[in-house]
């Protein structure tokens, strides 16, 4: 019988918990808002205690908002670290769940979880080196490189790459640390603040999208130069504006200007820069994929 | 008895070939200028034919200027591909050597070779995720990520990350593809063209170095955000101006502005951004390290 896994998508606004083996086999699932750490974590634990009454879980994966400490052996492994989210800084998330449920925990960033889910069942199957970038309230990225999830010193902070503000853009950027980094210029709230309207209320041919695509393309060009990704998956609320995809693809090609000679970039780049394919369960499926990978299943 | 390896540093201006097992054991070595492909490759082969008369080699590593195709199984594996270097585009380098010498070949970029050499014997020992960036005639980078050398779609082109030209800089950049990318603004020839003097002739307190450090720091900040490197090794001719190191370190810290909470970045960054430690044999030692790694020694 195949192992059964738990997944926790630990988001800044909601938690999603599920038990299953993959997209076609989710046995049970629950969603609740992220309140304070104690109540939220207790609610996640209670879900699995109830579920685990019937079938034991081989592992639980947690794909968490960050910054986090995901380094095995670190004294603060499993913690959400310096988040500005009220009450959540220095929260021990993973060991709290591990202790309460006596089950192995795989702990990683939400974006690494999403990347792994897409690798396992979605838009990154059979690839070894790719990036998952989410563009929403913030901008964050996860990556698989040569078959391994990228962690490095801490974990990537792709949204904070420093890019050039365009001359015709009078908006100065909203990142409290960097002003006009990628997140400061191109996150959902930046878009809203610049144009004075909710992103989803802007027409698909509003100039907002051309500028948004320009900034995203600058970020992507740098990721391509740094990581040499075989594919880039763009998720998050802002990317639900699908008119962005062809704009971003054209601008990436124009910015790189033929320098990197790879058909994926110079020709068929509708398969190079793509939306995620797991839909609304992407987060929790990513967490289940983390659990599965941790036991070598 | 330990395996004996060959190494070829295939550079745009010179080739270095050596036989040995590491920095303390180079049995023989030769250097000659890079002329046309036929003569240059023949000369490298002749060196090893003579050397291999005595002791057989377990493998030869080639660390080559690029762009190259280093993907095993590709029909053009082992080729230098679209280089502007006269006569060298689409040159089959690795299989020519393999056929002539009947020895396994490990083929990678010069910068991945340099990264691996530093990992094996130099400034990156015991690290899993780090970047080696060379700043000279061009700017190029190699990386190890989670213990694997990064190749991805082609290989990184870190020198072509797009960065913001500083307002007080009237020089427009010299990259024929991107104008003001990192290489366009901060390579040795860019420095020379901007200031109208050879880099090594400028005083250590000439304003050139502050601006150079600014651009390098912009590139490094982006690499840190993209790859989360545990260390960055800066080599190449321009970095022989050692006054650049403290300037670059200070500017990287200032640009990231405390966002990434890691002591390596916020505190002890004299060990985070460092010169290479293998000296003038770095290239060929990197090639030997590639050979050694390819046979799992």
């Amino acid at each position: 019988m195949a192992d059964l896994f738990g997944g926790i998508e630990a988001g800044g606004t909601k938690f999603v918990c599920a038990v299953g083996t993959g997209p076609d086999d989710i046995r049970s699932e629950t969603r609740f808002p992220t309140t304070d750490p104690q109540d939220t974590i207790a609610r996640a634990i209670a879900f699995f205690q109830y579920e685990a009454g019937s079938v034991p879980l081989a592992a639980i994966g947690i794909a968490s908002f960050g910054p986090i400490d995901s380094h095995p052996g670190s004294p603060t492994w499993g913690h959400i670290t310096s988040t500005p989210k009220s009450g959540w800084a220095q929260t021990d998330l993973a060991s709290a769940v591990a202790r309460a449920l006596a089950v192995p925990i795989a702990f990683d960033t939400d974006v690494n979880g999403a990347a792994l889910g897409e690798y396992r069942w979605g838009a990154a199957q059979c690839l070894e080196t790719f990036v998952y970038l989410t563009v929403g309230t913030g901008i964050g990225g996860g990556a698989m490189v040569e078959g391994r999830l990228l962690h490095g010193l801490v974990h990537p902070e792709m949204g904070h790459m420093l890019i050039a503000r365009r001359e015709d853009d009078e908006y100065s950027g909203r990142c409290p640390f960097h002003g006009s980094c990628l997140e400061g210029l191109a996150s959902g709230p930046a878009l809203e603040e610049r144009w004075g309207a909710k992103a989803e209320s802007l027409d698909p041919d509003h100039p907002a999208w051309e500028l948004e695509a320009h900034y995203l393309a600058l970020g992507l060009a740098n990721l391509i130069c740094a990581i040499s990704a075989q594919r880039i998956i763009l998720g998050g609320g802002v990317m639900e504006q699908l008119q962005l995809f062809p704009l971003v693809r054209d601008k990436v090609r124009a910015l790189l200007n033929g320098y990197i000679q790879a058909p994926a970039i110079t020709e068929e780049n509708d398969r190079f820069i793509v939306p995620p394919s797991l839909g609304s369960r992407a987060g929790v499926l990513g967490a289940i994929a983390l659990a599965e990978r941790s036991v070598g299943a």
Side-chain angles (χ1 to χ4, degrees), chain A residues 131-293:
Chain A
V131 168
Y132 178 98
L133 195 76
T134 179
V135 186
T137 311
I139 296 183
M144 181 177 282
V145 175
E146 305 290 332
R148 311 270 180 105
L149 289 173
L150 170 54
H151 299 102
L153 181 68
V154 184
H155 45 66
E157 288 288 356
M158 298 181 188
H160 293 271
M161 288 188 299
L162 304 168
I163 59 173
R165 197 152 62 88
R166 204 164 74 175
E167 280 176 15
D168 63 346
D169 183 14
E170 289 173 7
Y171 180 64
S172 59
R174 58 173 283 128
C175 173
F177 293 89
H178 313 120
S180 61
C181 61
L182 180 58
E183 177 171 300
L185 290 169
S187 65
L191 223 156
E192 257 175 66
E193 195 166 83
R194 179 187 292 111
W195 300 101
K198 289 264 173 203
E200 56 272 28
S201 73
L202 300 170
D203 278 350
D205 57 359
H206 190 283
W209 303 117
E210 188 276 330
L211 184 62
E212 178 72 7
H214 170 77
Y215 286 134
L216 293 176
L218 274 178
L220 266 51
N222 284 353
L223 288 173
I224 291 163
C225 288
I227 294 183
S228 196
Q230 296 167 302
R231 186 165 292 158
I232 295 177
I233 303 170
L234 292 179
V238 171
M239 297 312 301
E240 287 170 17
Q241 306 290 324
L242 295 180
Q243 72 274 14
L244 277 171
F245 281 90
L247 291 172
V248 170
R249 289 178 190 129
D250 286 351
K251 285 174 184 291
V252 165
R253 190 166 39 217
L255 287 172
L256 293 175
N257 195 24
Y259 179 72
I260 300 177
Q261 288 288 327
I265 298 174
T266 54
E267 296 164 24
E268 336 140 11
N269 81 6
D270 54 326
R271 295 181 55 213
F272 179 58
I273 297 169
V274 301
S277 62
L278 292 183
S280 65
R281 271 179 171 164
V284 77
L285 283 169
I288 287 174
L290 288 171
E292 183 193 54
R293 190 173 175 94

Side-chain angles (χ1 to χ4, degrees), chain A residues 12 34-38 40 65-66 80-91:
Chain A
T34 305
T35 57
D36 66 89
Q38 290 70 24
T40 312
F65 72 98
I80 294 171
T81 57
S82 57
T83 178
K85 186 170 171 63
S86 173
W88 282 84
Q90 316 309 331
T91 292

Side-chain angles (χ1 to χ4, degrees), chain A residues 60-71:
Chain A
I60 293 177
I62 305 178
S64 176
F65 72 98
I68 66 167
D69 183 345
S70 64
H71 286 84

